[in-house]
Amino acid sequence: MKRILRRNNFRPCIVALIIFLNVMAGCKSTNISGFENGDLLFVTAKETGLSGAINKVTQKQENTSFDHIGLLEKSRGKAFVLHAAPKGGSQKQSLKDFLKDQADDGQQVVVYRLKGHFKNAVPAAIQKANSMLGKPYNFNYILDENAYYCSDFVERAFRDSHIFRLEPMTFTDPKTGKTNAFWEEFYQKKKLKVPEGEPGCNPNGLAASDKLERIRELKL
């Protein structure tokens, strides 16, 4: 009888331990203690497709190669990423799901942070970003008040604080000096003129800002 009682008492302990370990594992995967409100999450670019085409005409530094960006919001012990993506448009996504999406695509995430007093711009930027949620994704990459692409979404969020700036866009392949073939075909299909020289922004351009500092690359 004693053996049975001891065995029955032991089983709840094992169950409790398993639950505790599962909770701790979940906390580790979504640990937000190393993040700050307003951190910028840059997603590394792929070498092919749209991602590769964006990077080929926008890469500014040899060790900087990004094709997406999101703004981190910490609220009541939880973390979210405010961003504009082809799937879902302008959205507020949990940090856990955002990181999982990048890992599933084989891409990495690098954290950048505003320097010094520039951090004062964060609260207003997050408020602005939240006000832009629900808008569709801008697949033309030409500035539009009714649709946003990723870096456009972030630039707008910080626009009133003049953190970033719009620059003339280029779709020229630096190796050939001619319009990149991908973008030539891309805009032909849309029956649009390549918006060479029109104002815009891109993840690599934002990452090159002297108002930001690179913090770390996340292990996904």
Side-chain angles (χ1 to χ4, degrees):
M1 179 66 72
K2 288 184 178 180
R3 286 185 179 179
I4 294 175
L5 287 175
R6 286 175 182 174
R7 187 176 300 167
N8 289 338
N9 288 336
F10 187 59
R11 288 181 63 187
C13 293
I14 293 177
V15 173
L17 178 60
I18 292 173
I19 293 174
F20 174 75
L21 291 175
N22 286 335
V23 170
M24 291 303 294
C27 289
K28 183 176 180 182
S29 64
T30 58
N31 185 3
I32 63 173
S33 61
F35 294 95
E36 287 188 8
N37 204 34
D39 279 350
L40 294 169
L41 307 184
F42 286 84
V43 180
T44 56
K46 296 180 179 179
E47 295 183 359
T48 59
L50 178 62
S51 175
I54 292 173
N55 191 61
K56 284 178 182 177
V57 297
T58 66
Q59 187 173 12
K60 293 193 174 186
Q61 303 174 48
E62 198 168 317
N63 62 343
T64 302
S65 176
F66 303 120
D67 74 348
H68 190 61
I69 178 177
L71 172 64
L72 184 85
E73 177 185 10
K74 292 177 68 173
S75 177
R76 298 179 182 178
K78 297 182 180 180
F80 304 92
V81 181
L82 304 164
H83 66 125
K87 184 179 179 180
S90 298
Q91 60 195 277
K92 186 172 186 173
Q93 187 178 22
S94 72
L95 175 62
K96 179 180 179 181
D97 288 344
F98 177 84
L99 297 180
K100 182 179 184 301
D101 285 347
Q102 314 319 318
D104 288 347
D105 283 343
Q107 294 171 277
Q108 297 299 314
V109 175
V110 181
V111 181
Y112 279 68
R113 186 171 295 159
L114 288 168
K115 298 177 182 177
H117 70 277
F118 295 116
K119 293 180 182 179
N120 294 335
V122 168
I126 289 178
Q127 183 177 6
K128 176 66 175 179
N130 274 291
S131 75
M132 296 189 292
L133 299 179
K135 291 291 183 72
Y137 188 76
N138 183 349
F139 286 97
N140 291 334
Y141 302 101
I142 299 172
L143 294 184
D144 185 337
E145 296 301 318
N146 298 308
Y148 312 124
Y149 54 89
C150 67
S151 54
D152 171 34
F153 180 86
V154 172
E155 186 278 325
R156 287 174 188 268
F158 285 97
R159 184 173 292 180
D160 289 344
S161 301
H162 308 288
I163 297 300
F164 303 108
R165 63 186 181 190
L166 298 176
E167 297 180 343
M169 292 191 292
T170 182
F171 298 86
T172 300
D173 189 326
K175 293 182 179 179
T176 65
K178 299 179 180 179
T179 300
N180 180 275
F182 178 96
W183 292 110
E184 189 76 52
E185 183 179 354
F186 180 88
Y187 283 106
Q188 279 182 357
K189 288 181 178 179
K190 293 177 176 289
K191 297 182 179 180
L192 293 171
K193 178 183 177 182
V194 177
E196 182 73 28
E198 292 190 22
C201 55
N202 60 77
N204 284 327
L206 269 56
S209 171
D210 59 4
K211 298 181 179 70
L212 300 182
E213 59 180 336
R214 182 177 175 131
I215 301 301
R216 62 189 171 112
E217 181 176 324
L218 302 181
K219 302 299 181 183
L220 303 184

